[in-house]
Structures are given as structure tokens and as C-alpha cells.
Amino acid sequence: MLSRRALLGSAFLGSAIGAGLVPLRLARAADKPKEIRIDWATYNPVSMVLKEQGLLEKEFEKDGIGIVWVQTLGSNKALEFLNAGSIDFGSTAGSAALLGKINGNPIKSIYVYSRPEWTALVTRKDTPIA
């Protein structure tokens, strides 16, 4: 059973979409994006490896989603690009993300590395590299 408020709300939303007041992409949150914009930075070697090897392009190609790489030159720029909508995913230092969140930036942390080091060089046991 629908309340009058719910019925009126859906009618308004439908007419607002039809009139172009609400972008259709916002109305259909389940739709896949055509592209995902991701930052890469020299301070984030993981992003450099992902970009260099085309791993995200390969993964999202089967869904018809393109990957656009945007270089950021520091945590502050990544946050600025996120806030401006220039990128969808960015990398920052933990303190920059915390300050951004405190200052009201609408960011979500989806991956947090538990140690302050961003990288580790690893090798197999059977190599002479130590």
C-alpha cells in the first residue's frame, strides 16, 4: 500500500526526470558508468603498476566500461579533483583524507593501508634477490 506522500513523490520525481530537472543517470543508480576516472600518482606505486599493465582496462572491458587515468601531483590535488568531479577514485595520504573529511569534503575511504608505507618489494623464495 502506497501512501499519498510516496505516490506524489514518485510522480514528482518522474515528471522532474522527464523535464530534465533530474539527470537520468542520477535516477538510475544501478546503471553502469561508461567510464571510471582514476588518479595515478608517482607517490602511489600501486596506481602506476595498475596503469602501466592495463589491469583495470582488462577487467572492466568485458562490462564495456572505459578507464580514464588522471595524474595527480599530491594528496591535495587528488582531493581537489574528487571534489570537482574530475576523478571518481583518488589516492591520498591518510592525514590528508582525514583533514578533508573534517573540512566537509564528501569523500569515502574504501581502502586503507594498515601501515604507513605504501609499497613493499617482494620476491620469490627461489631467487637470489634478497
Side-chain angles (χ1 to χ4, degrees), residues 121-130:
L121 297 176
V122 296
T123 185
R124 298 184 324 262
K125 284 194 250 183
D126 62 341
T127 68
I129 301 170

Side-chain angles (χ1 to χ4, degrees), residues 50-64:
L50 288 171
K51 181 179 183 296
E52 175 73 24
Q53 294 186 7
L55 298 173
L56 294 176
E57 288 84 350
K58 290 174 193 167
E59 180 62 30
F60 286 97
E61 182 178 45
K62 57 188 162 198
D63 294 321

